């Protein structure tokens, strides 16, 4: 099996990039699974502790079950604390899964010693269910199930008669094979469902040609930023490609699409490069093969779009969208938002059409110092854009509250 085929097998028959694009959903599912596994164990430990105390199970093991119950209670409290702190990234999900599965393994050891028939079988069933809970690459699930099987078999040989341990080994091997087969089938469909969900999210919120937010979602994002996430001054800017109709008529719509895509890529690239906080990780995720490759390839797919709006634009203190046709909108914050707008305009000027001519943009800006509606700001920016066109294009015109247009209060 060559490396590429192995990677696809490890990602349930999908491309590794497709599997990684579902990382946030998988981490969230793992977090939920960790809590479910631990809660199931907590209930089971409580039941077995009671049964041992009333001698329905060997009372000598009551202490072990109480220890396991105490462990699961502590894990539950820890997970609640993490949950309250809204820490749900992949690493924390891994820690949560590890703690819950350590409890499952502890239970398996006690169970195989305490009741060679009924409780040991319950452990094997729980092992199989855990293969469905864990949303990891297939190789890790196989390794996880193998370790559990070996722990179960080893504890059987240490605590039971040879014939019983041999029977446990056969049962453990059977459950292992069933678990990995079911896990592969189940998680393959699960990840494909995530991909469909991501695609629907993309189509609902992102402009398909440019990868920027579409008209509706941009204004929702801008409204949220202006209303709730205000940190200093913002600039709302409208960009319009100069003489775009002539470009379409003279060179064709394919060049027109190239022009729009190039403007969007330079706009997004500049916003992330000028953000107050480093966004190199986002640039690498969105443009895995570099900025120019994204411009030159008409079929390029932007990576890692899940949760596109809030977390990425919050980090960049900006939002960018294609309003329609050759018009774009940017909401930029930071120490000098106007400088970020100027740098976007400069970046757009570096784009060259097939005949060697440069692309320029007219820009209308509004400085936003108060809490204002995005639609009101949009109207003022649109007026400023019209003024920039009237004055000869390829320039920035700015509207401020001092220009006789006092900011209307947010309603």
């Amino acid at each position: 099996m060559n490396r590429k085929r192995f990677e696809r097998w490890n990602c349930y028959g999908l491309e590794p990039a497709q599997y990684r694009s579902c990382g946030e959903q998988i981490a969230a599912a793992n977090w939920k699974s960790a809590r479910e596994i631990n809660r199931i164990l907590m209930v089971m430990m409580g039941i077995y502790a009671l049964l041992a105390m009333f001698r329905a199970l060997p009372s000598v093991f009551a202490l072990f079950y109480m220890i396991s119950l105490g462990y699961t209670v502590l894990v539950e409290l820890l997970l609640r604390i993490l949950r309250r702190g809204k820490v749900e990234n992949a690493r924390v999900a891994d820690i949560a899964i590890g703690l819950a599965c350590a409890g499952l393994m502890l239970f398996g050891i006690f169970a195989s010693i305490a009741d060679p028939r009924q409780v040991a079988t319950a452990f094997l069933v729980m092992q199989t269910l855990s293969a469905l809970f864990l949303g990891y690459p297939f190789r890790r699930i196989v390794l996880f199930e193998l370790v559990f099987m070996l722990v179960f078999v080893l504890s059987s040989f240490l605590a039971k008669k040879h014939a019983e341990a041999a029977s446990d080994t056969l049962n453990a091997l059977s459950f292992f094979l069933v678990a990995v087969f079911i896990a592969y089938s189940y998680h393959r469909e699960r990840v494909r469902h995530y991909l469909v969900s991501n695609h629907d999210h993309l189509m609902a919120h992102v402009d398909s040609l440019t990868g920027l937010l579409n008209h509706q979602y941009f204004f929702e994002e801008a409204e949220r930023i202006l209303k709730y996430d205000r940190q200093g001054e913002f600039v709302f800017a409208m960009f319009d490609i100069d003489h775009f109709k002539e470009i379409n008529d003279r060179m064709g719509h394919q060049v027109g699409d190239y022009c729009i895509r190039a403007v969007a890529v330079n706009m997004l690239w500049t916003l992330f490069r000028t953000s107050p906080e480093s966004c190199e990780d986002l640039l690498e995720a969105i443009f895995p093969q570099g900025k120019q490759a994204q411009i030159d390839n008409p079929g390029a797919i932007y990576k890692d779009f899940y949760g596109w709006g809030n977390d990425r634009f919050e980090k960049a203190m900006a939002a960018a969208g294609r309003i329609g046709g050759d018009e774009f909108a940017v909401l930029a914050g930071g120490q000098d938002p106007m400088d970020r707008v100027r740098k976007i305009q400069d970046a757009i000027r570096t784009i060259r059409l097939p005949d060697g001519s440069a692309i320029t943009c007219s820009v209308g800006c509004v400085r936003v110092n108060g809490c204002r509606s995005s639609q009101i700001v949009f109207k003022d920016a649109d007026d400023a854009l019209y003024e920039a066109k009237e004055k000869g294009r390829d320039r920035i015109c700015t509207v401020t509250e001092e220009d006789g247009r006092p900011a209307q209060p947010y309603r």
Side-chain angles (χ1 to χ4, degrees):
M1 183 182 293
N2 59 39
R3 180 178 177 82
K4 186 174 181 180
R5 185 175 296 179
F6 175 78
E7 288 298 327
R8 285 179 61 87
W9 170 82
N10 190 41
C11 297
Y12 304 99
L14 301 170
E15 293 294 335
Q18 290 179 307
Y19 184 82
R20 287 193 297 270
S21 71
C22 303
E24 294 182 25
Q25 291 154 298
I26 292 171
N30 281 350
W31 171 270
K32 183 178 179 181
S33 297
R35 301 194 72 183
E36 292 298 327
I37 290 174
N38 192 69
R39 285 170 179 173
I40 292 172
L41 280 174
M42 188 163 54
V43 172
M44 292 180 68
M45 289 301 96
I47 292 173
Y48 289 136
L50 287 174
L51 290 175
M53 289 172 62
F54 288 103
R55 301 182 183 278
L57 292 174
S59 58
V60 68
F61 296 108
L63 178 61
F64 295 117
Y65 290 133
M66 290 299 295
I67 292 173
S68 296
L69 176 61
Y71 174 85
T72 56
V73 170
L74 289 175
V75 171
E76 176 65 19
L77 292 175
L78 177 61
L79 296 181
R80 284 179 178 272
I81 292 172
L82 292 175
R83 176 75 176 184
R84 191 174 297 130
K86 299 186 181 300
V87 182
E88 291 191 33
N89 57 37
R91 182 173 298 178
V92 174
D94 286 345
I95 294 172
I97 283 284
L99 291 171
C101 289
L104 179 57
M105 190 175 294
L106 184 67
F107 162 63
I109 294 172
F110 291 161
S112 63
I113 297 172
D115 191 331
R117 297 174 299 277
Q118 299 177 1
V119 183
T121 303
F123 167 66
L124 291 173
V125 172
M126 283 290 293
Q127 175 192 348
T128 306
L129 289 176
S130 67
L132 300 180
F133 280 131
L134 304 180
Y136 288 122
F138 186 59
R139 178 175 53 191
R140 291 182 64 181
I141 289 182
V142 172
L143 181 61
F144 173 85
E145 292 294 315
L146 184 62
V147 169
F148 261 53
M149 182 185 73
L150 293 177
V151 168
F152 178 77
V153 170
L154 180 62
S155 63
S156 294
F157 274 102
L158 290 176
K160 301 179 184 178
K161 296 178 181 179
H162 182 78
E164 292 177 340
S167 177
D168 278 351
T169 301
L170 182 60
N171 287 336
L173 180 60
S174 300
F175 275 86
F176 168 78
L177 295 175
V178 170
V180 295
F181 175 78
I182 292 176
Y184 188 89
S185 303
Y186 175 74
H187 289 298
R188 179 177 59 185
E189 295 306 315
R190 189 184 194 184
V191 176
R192 287 179 177 175
H193 172 74
Y194 290 155
L195 287 173
V196 171
S197 176
N198 288 354
H199 178 75
D200 292 343
H201 179 93
L202 176 65
M203 292 297 101
H205 298 93
V206 179
D207 175 64
S208 59
L209 178 62
T210 64
L212 299 179
L213 300 181
N214 61 25
H215 186 285
Q216 178 181 351
Y217 196 55
F218 170 79
F219 280 103
E220 290 180 9
E221 182 69 10
E223 192 85 353
R224 185 189 61 79
I225 292 173
L226 291 175
K227 188 175 182 181
Y228 299 112
D229 295 340
R230 292 302 311 279
Q231 298 180 26
E233 183 185 66
F234 277 81
V235 168
F236 189 105
M238 292 285 299
F239 290 77
D240 187 274
I241 301 174
D242 293 330
H243 308 293
F244 181 71
K245 186 177 183 304
E246 294 180 14
I247 295 174
N248 262 338
D249 294 342
R250 183 162 45 93
M251 301 183 188
H253 289 280
Q254 284 187 335
V255 175
D257 286 349
Y258 171 90
C259 177
I260 290 175
R261 197 164 56 248
V263 168
V265 168
N266 278 273
M267 181 177 291
L268 202 57
W269 185 275
T270 306
L271 276 176
F272 284 134
R273 281 295 174 91
T274 60
S275 64
E277 186 177 348
S278 174
C279 292
E280 293 297 323
D281 56 333
L282 300 184
L283 285 170
E284 185 177 348
I286 299 168
F287 307 109
Q289 296 179 332
K291 178 174 68 170
Q292 194 58 41
Q294 202 73 28
I295 296 172
D296 291 336
N297 181 8
I301 300 174
Y302 288 75
K303 306 291 183 182
D304 197 21
F305 268 114
Y306 183 72
W308 166 253
N310 296 354
D311 54 348
R312 286 152 181 77
F313 283 136
E314 279 179 4
K315 187 174 182 181
M317 283 193 70
R322 183 186 177 198
I323 303 304
D326 61 324
E327 286 192 340
F328 303 83
V330 168
L331 182 64
Q335 292 183 345
D336 191 350
M338 274 304 302
D339 183 62
R340 299 178 75 182
V341 172
R342 294 188 193 98
K343 287 180 177 177
I344 292 173
Q345 189 185 42
D346 291 340
I348 292 171
R349 290 193 184 108
T350 65
I351 303 168
R352 291 294 179 268
L353 295 173
D355 63 356
S357 59
I359 297 175
T360 62
C361 277
S362 300
V363 187
C365 295
V366 179
R367 294 181 183 270
V368 186
N369 292 305
C371 189
R372 303 180 66 187
S373 164
S374 62
Q375 292 295 335
I376 294 174
V377 173
F378 170 58
K379 183 181 183 305
D380 288 344
D382 198 43
D383 291 342
L385 175 62
Y386 179 79
E387 185 179 350
K389 290 180 179 181
E390 287 289 302
K391 289 183 176 180
R393 303 177 189 269
D394 189 23
R395 67 190 64 230
I396 298 175
C397 285
T398 305
V399 172
T400 63
E401 296 177 4
E402 287 76 21
D403 291 332
R405 302 188 187 188
Q408 299 183 36
Y410 181 85
R411 292 184 177 88

